[in-house]
Amino acid sequence: METRVVMQREQEEQSSHMAHSMELSSQIKKKTFTSSDEEASYADFYPIIPGDVMSVKEILDIGKFPRHRTWEVLKETMAADEEYHRDKWTMFGNEAEKVEIEVIRNQHVIRTRADRLALRKHAEKKASAHLKYLEDLRQKAPDFPIPLRAHTVWEGMKVTLSCTVQGCPAPKVTWYKDGAPLRMSDQPWNYHLQQKFGLNSLEIRRCSPGDAGVYKAVAKSPLGEASTFGTLVVNAYQGASAGSESSQTPALVLEQDAQFGTTFPPTWVTEGEILTLQCGFTSAPLPFQQDVSWFRDGIKLHQSSRVDIKTTSDTASITLRGMHKEYEGVYSIRLKTWDGVQEHSAFVYVKDASSAVLGGPASPLSVQVSDINKDYVILTWQPPSADGAGPVQGYYVERCDIGQGQWVRCNEVVQNLCRYPVFGLKEGTMYQFRVCAVNQAGVGRPSKATEPILTADPLEHTRTMVVNADRGREITITKDQLEGQIRVPFPPTDVHACAASDTYVVLSWTEPEPRGKEPLTFYVERSLAGKNNWELASMDMVVNSPRFPVFDLAKGKEYCFRVRSINKYGVSDPSEPSTLISLAEPQAVPAPAHSVLAIRDTDTSVLLQWQEPKEKDHILGYYLYYSETGKQEWKTVNNKPITKTRFTVHGLRTRGEYVFRVKSVSRAGNSKYSNESSPILVKSAVCLPLPPSAIALLLCTGSEMVLTWRAPACSRGEPVRGYYLDQREQGVAAWSEVNIKPVKERQFKVCNLTGGHCYQFRVFAANVVGVGKPSEASDAFLCEKWTMPHPGPPYDLEFREMRHGSLVLLWAAPMYEGQSPITGYLVEISKDDQSDHWTALNDKTTADTFYRASGLQAGQTYRLRVSAVNGAGVGWASLPSEPITAQTHQDSRNIEIGVDNDGFIFLAYEAAEKTDGFLWSKNYRKAIDAGRARVESENNRSVLTFTDPAEEDLGLYMVEMSDNPYLSSSYTFTAEDLERLTELSWHVRNPLIALKSAWQVEVSENGNVRLWLQTEGLSNAAELRLVFNDREISSSPHRKINFDKAGGLVEILFDQLSQEDEGSYTAQLRDGRAKNQFTLVFVDQKFREVLALADSNRRDLKRKSGPYFLEFLSWIVTEDCELIMKCKVTNVNKGTTLKWFKDGAEVTQAVYNQSTGVSTLTIPQVTKKEAGTYKAVVADARGEDVSTLALLDAEYDNLLQQLSKQCALSAGPVKIQCTPEGFKLYCSFKYYLSYLKTTWHFKEKRIDQQARTKTGSSMQKVWIEIFNPTEGDKGKYTLEMFDGTETHKRQLDLSGQAFADALLEYQRLKQVVIAEKNRARVTKGLPDVVAIMEGKSLCLTCFFDGDPLPEIFWLKNDREIMNQGQFNIAKEQAKCSTLMVNVVTTENSGKYSIFVRNKYGSQTVNVTLSVYKHGDKPPVNAVEFD
């Protein structure tokens, strides 16, 4: 009965709690979405109910609809809980064991069902992902494969405008007419619109002039929009009675749309810099052209903080700030036009920024974050293209908590692969990541940081669902509510390795289902395969996500892993062990590409192709490298891997020769270099030449016409080999050939023409590839004989020597001169390439067929034309030249003039690059006379050498490159050049051997003599002839002659010079054509000096056979004014002695250090007795050496002068000392010598000996005394010290406060002296102790002095004695006082004092009186009185 009551009470509490929860849930509305846990057939109406709701069927009235899996699980769990609560009061003994077995069975059932649900969810997720993948593949932005086209119809006819559109999702198409939406309701009987299977057509049944216009179809979808345009022109009829006369309605004139005028070329930018790309328009964009689009690798770019897109009336530009290597690629700009879309593309190369350390690697790129969990992400990246000083050894990964702003390294050991799992992150935190490469030089620059990511549970959204209740209410339920009864969590499932490398394994598992309401963490355990010895793998780490990287696994061993779930109620049982897991084999770097082939493209680019390696599964792309042939200086082409197997390499030097190689890129690193490609010369690929242009008529005879034309603007890699002409009569459509064989020159005579007919011509250019396209048809030329009086047009206009501000124009004389000879030419110029305003350049006609135009504006574009002049006037002007810009080409060079090694005068031109050939000319037209000069060209250098230059060779010489005439230069060979270079040529042909060093005489330490000279280096064929006193000499035992040809050295060595060697020496040299001679006059004083020095050195050598003086006796004066004499000996041994002598007497104060060989004698103070002759003698058994120093006369004076100078330098500042007599100015010295002359000056005037001044000196100072100073003594005092050669000064400014203080001190001292002189004092005192026998009388007498006369007091034991009784005080004289003690007793013993005083002071003198009795002895130290 008690058990039933308890159960009823618990059921009532549960019902109340469930009703309250239901009420709260119905009041809360949350974001609604369909849960993946719902059954598909009942997802729209079947609710998911919290586990604590007991009467759900009665509340929602859902009948017998199938229950959700969680409901079943919780129902069984609750039933088990009720069973447990009902029976727990009666449970005992073995019943507890039965209940436990039942609970375990229920747990097993729940786990089985949870596993089935997990498998089902996994399958559904995989199917959903596949469907989304297929849908993504199908997605495509709108596009018109077949656009609208223009139509022209007659009035009343039917027309259909059609186009096809494609895109996914299917785009919506809207029609417009003249920019306004087309409304079908206006003319439903006339317009019919049909859209079927992507075909969109607009049918106009009866066209009228009002239907004419521009029709546009616009397709839009979420992925973008596209448009197409078509023009409809409607012609109208107007009838007449006699026949019909047709007239056409005015055609719709479209406003001129904008096109790209200027575009951006391939561009290079350094990592971290700002990139700006710009295109110019030919005109202002129309309204529909305002939307200019920019793309990178086909992906549209949008305005952002880093991307600035601007479109103005004349330009469109994009600016990207902070460029990274990820931004490298093809940049495109698209502009809508009437005809469709105009697009321009160019590649942008991003170069590596400077390395963080010298030789360090470049930065990695494309760092991506994936598999984001609460505390775990995985990073992938691509290796850099540049390794630096050594191969990349690995990578460091860094993370930054955005809230803290500090970068922290994630791995202590470098990671080899470009993939790394980052663990230990904080949940709900924003992070950024970056990677640094490492090589032997150090850590390189970091990569571009990733976009911020938020660490969170990726499955959080699957744990919430919404129930639609009646009356439109929504109940939002989380799985936490459903699983509120779960306490101790279930174990995870499906433990496996989701990623593995040779250094780590990433474990993954599925959270338990149900997981419970409380937050979960996990323990990871591991065991070696075959053993059941489980250990904790996560150690002290808290694992919040179902991911865990393991780094400490042993290679070659297999492991099993299992995971436990943890919440606040406890730890679950372990999961099922995983399959065997081990470290993966190290991933090998990919094989390099092969078959690298370089193909000519343009003058600055090469098309590169290569073959992929066989194993290409893991290859991310390719890095390209190039080097000039033979230099092995490899440079990186791209810094972002190229995914294709062909690439156009830009920025190469024209006509430079290059080789290329390729690296494959993967997560394991870069491959080795591929084999080098074959060398390729950078120049345009061989193609058909462009068409000629500007066909002009030069002469007409009535049946013949002479034509000329302009060469193609580009020969497309190969020179034009010839030209072909076609002709036709005006009004005839068919063309006929003029010539079968190609014409070499750009001039041709067309014969067999009919007079009075008009003819048109066109020209074809041909090269080795074939015949190019024809030129545009010429104007119609009338075949009529020319008889006009003025000349015909000049032709063949060419430009040379383009420079900033100037150029040279060449032309050919007209073939028709007119009725009189041509007298000159007029040159006209026009700015820009379309202007019709012509300005004359020359006021007077020029007779030459060339003209140098100067004063042009640098960078401005011009056109020029020429007119011939004769007696009849100005003739026809030539066709305008092609537009030319006045600027200096970067490869332009100047001609240099000089003399070669053979003495020939030459002109030389060195091109910047290798060329096909050079063309030299004189005065721009005249060919070089082979008899007067020869031309030699090799590679990029051409030399014009004159055979025998004379005045007829003077003039202007020009050289041009045969493949680029614009690269030309000229030089005017003048008479001054001829004179100067002719003289230089003579010197080259008759050269002199240059002298580097004239004859030199040297004497060695052993007495040998060397005579030598040096010229420039000579060849082995050089000859030497030495002449001494007009006779040739050679080597002998006494004299040795050396000749170093390579060094140009000639030397004569004498073992012992003698008088016979005095004279003149001449060296005559010849080396091929070069020769010279050099003479040395070795006589008289010069010879005698060398001879004496040689003898002295030989004697000195002999002296040094024993101990000798390395440094002879010398003296110095120190800063302390000490005299130190020293010497140094060498080549000594233990028996060597060193003695000092002065005037023959040995000096024993000298100090000798045998280890250093230095001996010194120090004299602290120098006096006259130090003068004399000093001698040091070093001797042993091998011999002796003597050094003498005479400190006499001038040497002694020099010593005193040095001492005086040192004394003066040691002088301190002038100071003042006040005395009772006045001022004493003094200067202190370390040592004062009377040789130092000192004088005192006051206010720049010398102070002579006066009654008020007195000078003095001592060993340490000099001074001057000024007695009784006054205000007149105020001023600057100077002490001048003359040491014999220079004067030293010390000064004291005694004025102002300094003088006032000194004067006050003087007065004080003076008063002190006066007071001391007049002070009361005892002049003749008393003995210290007096002894007297008892009974006698004592007389103490004391003399004193003072002014005024002092007062006198006698004291006993410091008490005054009165003049009475036993004591009698008498003053015998003016300055004497006597104390008489009558009949002394022992009581009279004690201390007696006399005290004198006046106004200046006082003094006390004490005496001790000792009275002894008769028969006793007086004290020993006392004066006995009788």
Side-chain angles (χ1 to χ4, degrees):
M1 184 65 182
E2 184 178 358
T3 302
R4 292 180 180 177
V5 171
V6 171
M7 290 299 298
Q8 289 177 357
R9 187 174 301 168
E10 288 180 353
Q11 290 177 0
E12 291 175 358
E13 291 176 356
Q14 289 177 357
S15 299
S16 175
H17 177 64
M18 288 185 290
H20 180 65
S21 299
M22 190 67 184
E23 182 181 358
L24 290 178
S25 299
S26 64
Q27 294 174 357
I28 301 173
K29 290 187 177 181
K30 298 184 180 179
K31 184 178 178 181
T32 62
F33 60 94
T34 303
S35 171
S36 61
D37 290 341
E38 296 175 1
E39 294 291 344
S41 57
Y42 306 111
D44 294 333
F45 55 86
Y46 181 70
I48 296 194
I49 307 303
D52 55 355
V53 178
M54 297 299 294
S55 300
V56 175
K57 184 171 67 174
E58 291 79 9
I59 295 174
L60 297 180
D61 193 21
I62 60 176
K64 295 183 180 181
F65 287 144
R67 297 293 195 269
H68 190 271
R69 179 199 58 80
T70 307
W71 170 265
E72 300 294 341
V73 172
L74 291 177
K75 183 177 179 181
E76 294 178 8
T77 305
M78 291 176 64
D81 287 345
E82 291 177 6
E83 183 78 15
Y84 173 74
H85 286 295
R86 184 170 59 250
D87 297 341
K88 68 180 181 180
W89 301 102
T90 59
M91 217 170 1
F92 63 92
N94 292 335
E95 291 184 2
E97 183 178 357
K98 295 179 180 179
V99 172
E100 183 178 1
I101 292 173
E102 186 65 20
V103 170
I104 293 174
R105 186 186 65 80
N106 291 336
Q107 288 181 347
H108 179 70
V109 171
I110 293 175
R111 288 176 186 171
T112 301
R113 293 179 178 176
D115 290 343
R116 291 175 181 172
L117 178 62
L119 290 173
R120 177 184 171 187
K121 288 177 62 178
H122 182 70
E124 291 176 351
K125 181 179 179 182
K126 199 166 184 180
S128 175
H130 184 65
L131 290 175
K132 186 175 184 304
Y133 172 72
L134 294 177
E135 184 179 353
D136 292 341
L137 287 179
R138 292 177 54 202
Q139 286 189 350
K140 183 179 179 182
D143 184 26
F144 287 95
I146 301 177
L148 292 174
R149 64 181 182 88
H151 291 265
T152 301
V153 297
W154 293 104
E155 183 179 4
M157 292 180 61
K158 183 178 72 172
V159 66
T160 302
L161 305 178
S162 301
C163 62
T164 59
V165 64
Q166 62 182 14
C168 183
K172 179 181 179 183
V173 179
T174 306
W175 288 81
Y176 295 83
K177 178 178 180 292
D178 294 333
L182 184 64
R183 294 188 300 178
M184 302 297 169
S185 59
D186 291 345
Q187 300 182 29
W189 63 88
N190 196 32
Y191 292 135
H192 176 66
L193 182 62
Q194 185 177 7
Q195 297 182 6
K196 187 175 182 181
F197 304 114
L199 175 63
N200 290 261
S201 60
L202 172 64
E203 181 182 344
I204 305 176
R205 294 184 174 89
R206 292 181 62 84
C207 291
S208 65
D211 294 323
V214 178
Y215 287 82
K216 179 173 72 171
V218 178
K220 293 184 179 181
S221 77
L223 298 180
E225 69 175 64
S227 61
T228 179
F229 300 85
T231 305
L232 177 62
V233 179
V234 180
N235 293 333
Y237 293 97
Q238 291 182 355
S241 57
S244 64
E245 192 175 291
S246 66
S247 66
Q248 185 176 1
T249 60
L252 180 65
V253 179
L254 297 178
E255 187 177 356
Q256 180 63 40
D257 57 356
Q259 303 284 335
F260 288 134
T262 59
T263 55
F264 55 90
T267 307
W268 286 260
V269 63
T270 303
E271 190 177 6
E273 293 181 350
I274 297 176
L275 169 69
T276 298
L277 303 177
Q278 180 174 296
C279 283
F281 298 129
T282 56
S283 61
L286 299 178
F288 77 91
Q289 295 181 297
Q290 296 297 325
D291 184 16
V292 178
S293 303
W294 290 85
F295 298 84
R296 178 173 61 230
D297 294 333
I299 300 175
K300 189 173 182 179
L301 300 175
H302 300 279
Q303 185 82 17
S304 66
S305 59
R306 285 194 172 185
V307 180
D308 185 16
I309 299 176
K310 292 182 179 179
T311 302
T312 64
S313 60
D314 55 356
T315 60
S317 65
I318 183 171
T319 300
L320 291 91
R321 301 176 182 86
M323 288 292 291
H324 293 281
K325 293 188 289 188
E326 289 83 350
Y327 301 158
E328 184 176 85
V330 178
Y331 283 73
S332 305
I333 180 173
R334 296 178 186 174
L335 174 67
K336 297 177 182 178
T337 63
W338 292 121
D339 299 328
V341 176
Q342 185 181 10
E343 181 175 359
H344 169 72
S345 300
F347 199 89
V348 173
Y349 299 84
V350 181
K351 299 184 293 185
D352 284 311
S354 57
S355 179
V357 295
L358 184 63
S363 59
L365 67 157
S366 300
V367 183
Q368 301 292 332
V369 185
S370 59
D371 199 9
I372 302 172
N373 279 269
K374 296 179 182 178
D375 57 356
Y376 164 91
V377 298
I378 190 162
L379 298 181
T380 56
W381 59 90
Q382 295 177 357
S385 60
D387 293 342
V392 173
Q393 300 170 353
Y395 304 90
Y396 282 126
V397 176
E398 297 179 349
R399 70 172 183 266
C400 176
D401 184 341
I402 293 182
Q404 298 178 356
Q406 183 177 1
W407 288 96
V408 179
R409 185 171 291 176
C410 299
N411 57 319
E412 296 298 330
V413 180
V414 294
Q415 177 65 26
N416 296 328
L417 291 180
C418 297
R419 181 188 300 108
Y420 185 76
V422 180
F423 184 73
L425 305 177
K426 293 183 291 184
E427 184 179 0
T429 305
M430 297 290 288
Y431 285 98
Q432 283 183 292
F433 300 90
R434 67 185 187 186
V435 183
C436 303
V438 183
N439 68 0
Q440 61 186 18
V443 181
R445 288 173 57 88
S447 68
K448 172 181 175 288
T450 64
E451 295 297 328
I453 60 100
L454 177 67
T455 53
D457 186 358
L459 300 177
E460 183 67 28
H461 65 280
T462 65
R463 303 185 58 78
T464 307
M465 57 198 70
V466 174
V467 175
N468 295 320
D470 56 349
R471 299 179 183 177
R473 291 182 297 174
E474 293 180 346
I475 303 175
T476 303
I477 304 172
T478 64
K479 286 190 177 182
D480 293 343
Q481 295 172 316
L482 297 176
E483 300 168 358
Q485 296 297 324
I486 303 298
R487 295 294 187 263
V488 178
F490 295 104
T493 58
D494 191 22
V495 180
H496 64 281
C498 64
S501 73
D502 60 332
T503 58
Y504 66 85
V505 168
V506 177
L507 298 178
S508 175
W509 58 88
T510 304
E511 292 184 345
E513 182 69 27
R515 65 190 297 274
K517 184 178 180 179
E518 302 300 330
L520 279 182
T521 57
F522 305 94
Y523 282 157
V524 180
E525 300 174 346
R526 69 181 175 191
S527 173
L528 284 171
K531 298 182 179 180
N532 198 23
N533 186 14
W534 294 93
E535 61 181 7
L536 195 62
S538 55
M539 299 302 289
D540 297 332
M541 294 177 286
V542 177
V543 183
N544 294 319
S545 302
R547 301 286 190 277
F548 181 71
V550 184
F551 288 93
D552 56 347
L553 301 182
K555 292 185 178 180
K557 293 186 178 181
E558 294 182 326
Y559 297 83
C560 288
F561 293 88
R562 65 186 188 185
V563 184
R564 295 176 186 264
S565 304
I566 311 163
N567 64 9
K568 72 176 185 180
Y569 295 109
V571 182
S572 74
D573 293 336
S575 67
E576 292 294 327
S578 67
T579 58
L580 295 180
I581 296 175
S582 63
L583 293 175
E585 292 296 326
Q587 185 176 343
V589 297
H594 60 89
S595 303
V596 182
L597 176 64
I599 305 172
R600 286 168 53 181
D601 184 40
T602 68
D603 285 339
T604 58
S605 64
V606 165
L607 176 61
L608 201 64
Q609 295 181 345
W610 60 93
Q611 294 293 326
E612 296 176 331
K614 293 182 180 180
E615 299 294 334
K616 59 181 181 180
D617 293 339
H618 300 290
I619 291 180
L620 304 175
Y622 302 91
Y623 285 133
L624 313 181
Y625 305 85
Y626 72 96
S627 171
E628 291 196 41
T629 304
K631 291 188 176 181
Q632 292 297 315
E633 296 176 357
W634 291 97
K635 298 179 182 178
T636 303
V637 174
N638 60 310
N639 282 306
K640 180 180 177 182
I642 297 169
T643 56
K644 299 180 180 179
T645 57
R646 57 184 292 153
F647 184 77
T648 302
V649 181
H650 302 93
L652 303 178
R653 183 170 56 85
T654 303
R655 306 196 70 82
E657 194 173 61
Y658 292 88
V659 291
F660 300 86
R661 58 188 186 183
V662 183
K663 275 186 178 181
S664 303
V665 184
S666 73
R667 302 285 183 204
N670 297 335
S671 70
K672 296 180 180 180
Y673 290 107
S674 67
N675 293 330
E676 296 180 8
S677 67
S678 299
I680 185 171
L681 188 67
V682 180
K683 61 179 183 178
S684 296
V686 180
C687 302
L688 293 174
L690 294 179
S693 60
I695 301 175
L697 178 62
L698 301 180
L699 178 64
C700 183
T701 64
S703 62
E704 297 175 345
M705 289 185 182
V706 180
L707 303 175
T708 186
W709 54 88
R710 187 180 297 156
C714 179
S715 60
R716 309 294 288 272
E718 283 293 332
V720 174
R721 302 297 178 92
Y723 298 93
Y724 296 92
L725 280 77
D726 285 353
Q727 72 178 34
R728 70 179 179 185
E729 290 191 28
Q730 187 177 15
V732 178
W735 292 90
S736 61
E737 291 182 350
V738 174
N739 60 315
I740 299 176
K741 293 184 178 180
V743 179
K744 300 291 185 181
E745 304 296 331
R746 288 182 290 106
Q747 182 179 319
F748 187 74
K749 181 188 291 186
V750 182
C751 303
N752 302 321
L753 301 177
T754 304
H757 287 218
C758 292
Y759 291 89
Q760 287 182 295
F761 301 89
R762 65 181 184 182
V763 184
F764 300 81
N767 61 10
V768 294
V769 179
V771 180
K773 293 182 179 181
S775 66
E776 293 183 1
S778 68
D779 295 336
F781 299 137
L782 177 63
C783 185
E784 185 179 48
K785 185 177 180 179
W786 285 5
T787 59
M788 63 272 197
H790 53 267
Y795 65 99
D796 202 9
L797 274 64
E798 296 179 350
F799 292 104
R800 299 291 186 270
E801 300 183 56
M802 276 71 72
R803 299 292 186 267
H804 286 304
S806 68
L807 54 83
V808 174
L809 176 66
L810 310 180
W811 63 88
M815 299 191 69
Y816 179 76
E817 293 186 352
Q819 293 181 354
S820 60
I822 294 175
T823 59
Y825 299 91
L826 292 177
V827 182
E828 295 176 292
I829 191 169
S830 173
K831 282 189 176 182
D832 301 324
D833 55 356
Q834 298 294 333
S835 175
D836 290 331
H837 178 71
W838 294 91
T839 305
L841 284 176
N842 54 333
D843 297 332
K844 296 181 179 180
T845 59
T846 177
D848 297 323
T849 57
F850 61 88
Y851 183 81
R852 181 180 294 275
S854 58
L856 305 181
Q857 182 180 349
Q860 176 66 45
T861 301
Y862 296 93
R863 291 184 303 153
L864 287 87
R865 69 182 184 183
V866 183
S867 302
V869 180
N870 65 3
V874 180
W876 289 342
S878 67
L879 289 177
S881 69
E882 56 188 348
I884 191 71
T885 302
Q887 61 183 12
T888 303
H889 195 279
Q890 61 180 0
D891 292 334
S892 295
R893 300 291 187 271
N894 294 324
I895 294 177
E896 63 179 37
I897 189 169
V899 177
D900 61 16
N901 295 332
D902 295 326
F904 290 99
I905 299 175
F906 70 88
L907 296 174
Y909 180 83
E910 186 170 354
E913 301 168 350
K914 186 178 180 182
T915 182
D916 292 338
F918 299 87
L919 299 177
W920 287 86
S921 62
K922 184 177 181 182
N923 296 329
Y924 292 110
R925 289 296 186 186
K926 186 178 178 181
I928 302 299
D929 186 356
R932 306 294 308 170
R934 66 180 185 273
V935 176
E936 296 176 348
S937 301
E938 184 178 0
N939 294 329
N940 63 331
R941 180 177 173 85
S942 181
V943 179
L944 173 69
T945 305
F946 294 98
T947 305
D948 186 13
E951 290 187 2
E952 60 184 289
D953 295 312
L954 302 181
L956 186 144
Y957 289 85
M958 186 192 71
V959 61
E960 62 186 62
M961 298 174 64
S962 59
D963 56 351
N964 190 354
Y966 289 160
L967 290 179
S968 57
S969 184
S970 65
Y971 186 85
T972 303
F973 188 22
T974 63
E976 291 78 8
D977 292 332
L978 179 61
E979 181 181 359
R980 175 176 57 85
L981 296 176
T982 300
E983 181 181 358
L984 179 60
S985 174
W986 186 91
H987 286 292
V988 171
R989 294 178 180 181
N990 301 277
L992 292 176
I993 297 176
L995 181 66
K996 284 188 176 180
S997 177
W999 280 107
Q1000 302 290 328
V1001 180
E1002 295 177 354
V1003 180
S1004 65
E1005 292 183 355
N1006 57 8
N1008 296 335
V1009 177
R1010 176 177 177 248
L1011 311 180
W1012 65 276
L1013 66 86
Q1014 188 175 17
T1015 67
E1016 61 184 357
L1018 304 175
S1019 67
N1020 291 330
E1023 299 176 359
L1024 168 67
R1025 184 171 178 263
L1026 268 175
V1027 178
F1028 171 62
N1029 293 339
D1030 298 330
R1031 61 184 177 86
E1032 187 175 355
I1033 61 174
S1034 59
S1035 295
S1036 65
H1038 165 66
R1039 176 184 57 232
K1040 183 179 180 182
I1041 299 173
N1042 294 330
F1043 182 27
D1044 180 9
K1045 298 179 181 180
L1049 181 65
V1050 178
E1051 60 180 2
I1052 307 173
L1053 302 177
F1054 296 93
D1055 291 338
Q1056 185 171 349
L1057 193 67
S1058 62
Q1059 289 291 342
E1060 288 76 14
D1061 298 317
E1062 184 177 6
S1064 63
Y1065 294 83
T1066 301
Q1068 298 178 351
L1069 294 170
R1070 177 182 293 274
D1071 187 8
R1073 292 182 305 177
K1075 59 184 178 179
N1076 212 336
Q1077 70 176 23
F1078 311 97
T1079 300
L1080 169 66
V1081 180
F1082 194 31
V1083 296
D1084 299 334
Q1085 181 67 24
K1086 183 176 182 179
F1087 177 79
R1088 289 193 293 272
E1089 289 177 355
V1090 173
L1091 182 62
L1093 180 58
D1095 292 341
S1096 174
N1097 286 356
R1098 283 195 298 274
R1099 288 193 301 271
D1100 195 47
L1101 180 64
K1102 183 178 179 181
R1103 175 180 66 86
K1104 292 180 180 179
S1105 60
Y1108 64 92
F1109 285 94
L1110 188 62
E1111 296 177 6
F1112 293 99
L1113 279 177
S1114 62
W1115 58 267
I1116 59 172
V1117 176
T1118 65
E1119 293 181 356
D1120 295 330
C1121 301
E1122 294 181 338
L1123 172 63
I1124 298 179
M1125 287 181 282
K1126 69 175 184 177
C1127 60
K1128 185 176 182 180
V1129 297
T1130 187
N1131 197 21
V1132 298
N1133 56 27
K1134 293 182 179 180
T1136 304
T1137 60
L1138 177 63
K1139 296 183 179 180
W1140 287 68
F1141 299 90
K1142 179 179 179 293
D1143 298 331
E1146 185 176 357
V1147 179
T1148 59
Q1149 292 84 2
V1151 177
Y1152 172 51
N1153 186 340
Q1154 192 169 11
S1155 61
T1156 62
V1158 177
S1159 179
T1160 58
L1161 175 62
T1162 303
I1163 301 174
Q1165 293 185 353
V1166 177
T1167 60
K1168 290 184 178 180
K1169 67 179 182 178
E1170 272 69 44
T1173 302
Y1174 293 84
K1175 182 172 68 174
V1177 180
V1178 58
D1180 60 17
R1182 295 170 295 169
E1184 71 173 17
D1185 195 11
V1186 179
S1187 178
T1188 304
L1189 176 64
L1191 284 181
L1192 297 171
D1193 302 330
E1195 187 69 16
Y1196 184 71
D1197 292 341
N1198 187 24
L1199 171 62
L1200 294 180
Q1201 190 272 328
Q1202 290 295 323
L1203 278 170
S1204 300
K1205 180 178 181 179
Q1206 200 60 46
C1207 291
L1209 293 176
S1210 69
V1214 177
K1215 298 181 179 179
I1216 184 172
Q1217 179 182 355
C1218 297
T1219 65
E1221 293 79 18
F1223 297 157
K1224 183 177 182 181
L1225 307 181
Y1226 66 94
C1227 181
S1228 300
F1229 299 84
K1230 290 184 178 179
Y1231 171 66
Y1232 175 69
L1233 189 67
S1234 60
Y1235 187 85
L1236 180 66
K1237 307 301 181 183
T1238 60
T1239 55
W1240 290 90
H1241 297 259
F1242 175 62
K1243 296 181 179 179
E1244 308 301 331
K1245 185 177 180 181
R1246 181 172 176 174
I1247 302 175
D1248 296 326
Q1249 192 72 22
Q1250 300 175 358
R1252 292 182 59 249
T1253 60
K1254 179 181 179 182
T1255 59
S1257 64
S1258 65
M1259 296 293 289
Q1260 276 77 34
K1261 66 174 63 177
V1262 296
W1263 64 82
I1264 182 171
E1265 293 183 276
I1266 303 173
F1267 302 113
N1268 301 321
T1270 63
E1271 287 290 331
D1273 297 318
K1274 182 189 301 183
K1276 182 183 291 186
Y1277 289 84
T1278 304
L1279 171 62
E1280 292 188 356
M1281 299 165 285
F1282 182 67
D1283 60 11
T1285 58
E1286 59 180 319
T1287 300
H1288 308 269
K1289 294 183 179 181
R1290 300 292 187 272
Q1291 293 180 339
L1292 174 66
D1293 187 4
L1294 191 59
S1295 60
Q1297 188 63 36
F1299 180 81
D1301 294 343
L1303 186 62
L1304 184 63
E1305 178 66 13
Y1306 153 69
Q1307 293 172 351
R1308 186 188 67 79
L1309 292 176
K1310 184 176 180 181
Q1311 293 299 324
V1312 169
V1313 170
I1314 294 174
E1316 181 65 24
K1317 180 179 179 182
N1318 297 328
R1319 179 178 60 83
R1321 61 184 178 277
V1322 178
T1323 58
K1324 190 175 181 181
L1326 300 173
D1328 293 336
V1329 181
V1330 176
I1332 190 170
M1333 187 182 293
E1334 187 178 14
K1336 294 186 177 183
S1337 295
L1338 175 65
C1339 180
L1340 298 176
T1341 302
C1342 184
F1343 295 89
F1344 56 88
D1345 193 8
D1347 186 17
L1349 195 66
E1351 298 177 275
I1352 304 113
F1353 300 92
W1354 286 90
L1355 308 174
K1356 179 185 178 184
N1357 296 333
D1358 297 331
R1359 298 183 63 183
E1360 186 179 359
I1361 301 175
M1362 304 305 296
N1363 189 10
Q1364 61 183 3
Q1366 191 179 6
F1367 298 96
N1368 184 18
I1369 299 174
K1371 193 174 182 182
E1372 298 179 356
Q1373 298 177 5
K1375 296 183 180 181
C1376 178
S1377 179
T1378 302
L1379 173 63
M1380 179 68 70
V1381 183
N1382 299 316
V1383 189
V1384 297
T1385 64
T1386 56
E1387 295 178 355
N1388 296 125
S1389 297
K1391 181 178 75 171
Y1392 289 82
S1393 305
I1394 182 171
F1395 173 70
V1396 294
R1397 72 179 179 185
N1398 63 5
K1399 65 179 182 178
Y1400 292 112
S1402 61
Q1403 185 178 9
T1404 300
V1405 177
N1406 300 320
V1407 60
T1408 301
L1409 176 60
S1410 177
V1411 180
Y1412 61 92
K1413 295 187 177 185
H1414 185 74
D1416 294 341
K1417 292 183 178 181
V1420 178
N1421 58 345
V1423 177
E1424 186 176 358
F1425 276 73
D1426 293 335

